[in-house]
Amino acid sequence: MKYLVTGGAGFIGSNFIQYMMDKYPEDEFINLDALTYAGHTNTIERFNEYCNYRFVKGDITNRQFVMELFSKEKFDVVVNFAAESHVDRSINDTSAFVLTNVLGTTNLLDASKKYEVERYHQVGTDEVYGELPLDRPDLLFSEKTPIHTSSSYSSSKASADLFVLSYYRTHGLPVTISRCSNNYGPYQYPEKLIPLMICRAIKDIKLPVYGNGLNVRDWIFVEDHCSAIDTIIHKGKVGEVYNVGGQSERTNLQVVNTILEKLHKSKELISFVADRPGHDKRYAIDFSKIKSELGWAPSMSFEDGIAKTVGWYIDNELWLNEVTAGGYQEYISKMYGI
Ligand code: NAD
Ligand code: DAU
């Protein structure tokens, strides 16, 4: 099988390529990435030793480029990770999110249709379902939960999902969609909660917790997300959406306190800052469909996963220094001012 993985120089895409190349050494993997602020060559340089891997620098919003690449390569499977992925950035810049997440996705869909790929898999998010209340722990997102988005990020991802499903209905394109909860693990850019807090705590810099810190997310170790996508590609039914979760609901404060404990740092580093506008209260996933129909379940506990992740950031200071050079500091001071 010949795979096109888009966004493979980012966090989850690079972990997915590693996971798949280890598991399917006979398959071929082409990584298409525009190398935005979130994509880094030092994340993917370890793949250069694999003879079944190639990197192509390119932008999925460039329709002609995408068409030419598909015409030349004749992919069997497309897995679309490429996206603007950070909610906070989407609050002040909707257009980048519409361009990559919506237009970019439709370019990939058109090319997949024209060149008759065997499977198009869209990497979606649980954020398309909106939020759950904090006082109803019995409520979970199922695949039947109505789309109800809060941010430009989630709206653009929901829009992409709707296009993907329409290409199945109208054109018979063999699509699947996964909607996953919050990922953490190695190679995550330090703008998202867990790597941001680890990096700042290591350096004894204040940790900005939004609002009262009681918002809840369901955390999944990135390798479990990769195995879920692999399962859906190989066993999933076309035209279907599968929710993927980590069975690890935590408040943001619980997450930050765990990180501080692992690093033997003081809780006094925590600084409560203004809340995120439109901040979703709680995400929680019912993943019974993928479990009962495809036999997938997460295997990493949050305690083990966070210990592994903290250890990875301590051991990979060079990677961290490289990805936080350039525009990172400017983003941090503009965003937090602390
Ligand atoms: P990321 O921001 O770490 O990586 C995104 C990658 O896409 C980067 O390498 C970037 O260079 C590339 N990219 C951006 N625009 C592009 C374009 N126009 N053309 C080509 N490449 C482009 O994101 P991530 O956290 O790894 O998320 C990957 C996917 O998974 C996204 O679609 C996201 O919506 C989805 N997702 C993420 C999470 C999470 O917790 N991080 C959870 C569920 C779903
Ligand atoms: O649920 C899946 C989604 O999870 C993915 O689709 C997104 O790509 C990914 O970014 C993530 O979205 P969140 O907004 O939930 O993740 P983030 O790490 O930005 O924030 C997690 C929680 O932590 C959220 O409640 C906001 C809070 N937070 C975040 C940051 C960056 C803080 O309190 N302080 C911070 O500085």
Side-chain angles (χ1 to χ4, degrees), residues 85 125-127 153 182 193 208 210 217 252 276 279 336:
S85 68
T125 171
D126 64 350
E127 291 201 17
Y153 165 68
N182 287 59
L193 181 73
Y210 299 156
R217 297 292 183 264
N252 295 335
R276 169 187 281 174
H279 197 176
Y336 300 103

Side-chain angles (χ1 to χ4, degrees), residues 156-219:
S156 65
K157 292 293 289 184
S159 172
D161 281 7
L162 295 178
F163 278 107
V164 172
L165 292 173
S166 78
Y167 272 63
Y168 171 68
R169 169 86 194 243
T170 301
H171 305 289
L173 187 70
V175 306
T176 40
I177 297 177
S178 48
R179 290 186 182 146
C180 189
S181 59
N182 287 59
N183 285 223
Y184 68 101
Y187 297 103
Q188 186 168 29
Y189 190 68
E191 63 182 352
K192 309 281 166 64
L193 181 73
I194 288 183
L196 180 83
M197 297 300 163
I198 296 173
C199 300
R200 291 175 76 92
I202 288 173
K203 296 181 185 154
D204 296 304
I205 308 172
K206 289 276 180 200
L207 311 182
V209 172
Y210 299 156
N212 59 12
L214 296 181
N215 299 56
V216 171
R217 297 292 183 264
D218 171 18
W219 294 96

Side-chain angles (χ1 to χ4, degrees), residues 183-320:
N183 285 223
Y184 68 101
Y187 297 103
Q188 186 168 29
Y189 190 68
E191 63 182 352
K192 309 281 166 64
L193 181 73
I194 288 183
L196 180 83
M197 297 300 163
I198 296 173
C199 300
R200 291 175 76 92
I202 288 173
K203 296 181 185 154
D204 296 304
I205 308 172
K206 289 276 180 200
L207 311 182
V209 172
Y210 299 156
N212 59 12
L214 296 181
N215 299 56
V216 171
R217 297 292 183 264
D218 171 18
W219 294 96
I220 182 170
F221 191 64
V222 63
E223 221 170 277
D224 277 330
H225 186 190
C226 296
S227 74
I229 295 171
D230 173 29
T231 303
I232 295 167
I233 290 169
H234 286 91
K235 297 201 225 161
K237 207 173 142 212
V238 296
E240 294 289 317
V241 173
Y242 295 92
N243 282 355
V244 178
Q247 217 167 17
S248 295
E249 281 186 59
R250 297 285 185 283
T251 66
N252 295 335
L253 260 186
Q254 285 173 320
V255 170
V256 174
N257 282 329
T258 306
I259 292 169
L260 288 171
E261 277 160 28
K262 299 274 171 232
L263 289 168
H264 309 292
K265 299 282 183 176
S266 161
K267 288 188 181 166
E268 285 179 9
L269 280 176
I270 293 174
S271 164
F272 291 96
V273 299
D275 210 354
R276 169 187 281 174
H279 197 176
D280 284 335
K281 290 189 179 66
R282 171 175 169 253
Y283 303 148
I285 288 270
D286 170 2
F287 61 87
S288 56
K289 179 176 172 181
I290 187 171
K291 190 174 180 194
S292 64
E293 293 182 14
L294 310 184
W296 177 91
S299 62
M300 182 73 84
S301 71
F302 184 73
E303 286 61 37
D304 290 349
I306 199 74
K308 217 173 156 170
T309 304
V310 169
W312 188 87
Y313 280 89
I314 291 171
D315 293 345
N316 287 273
E317 202 183 335
L318 185 62
W319 180 87
L320 199 55

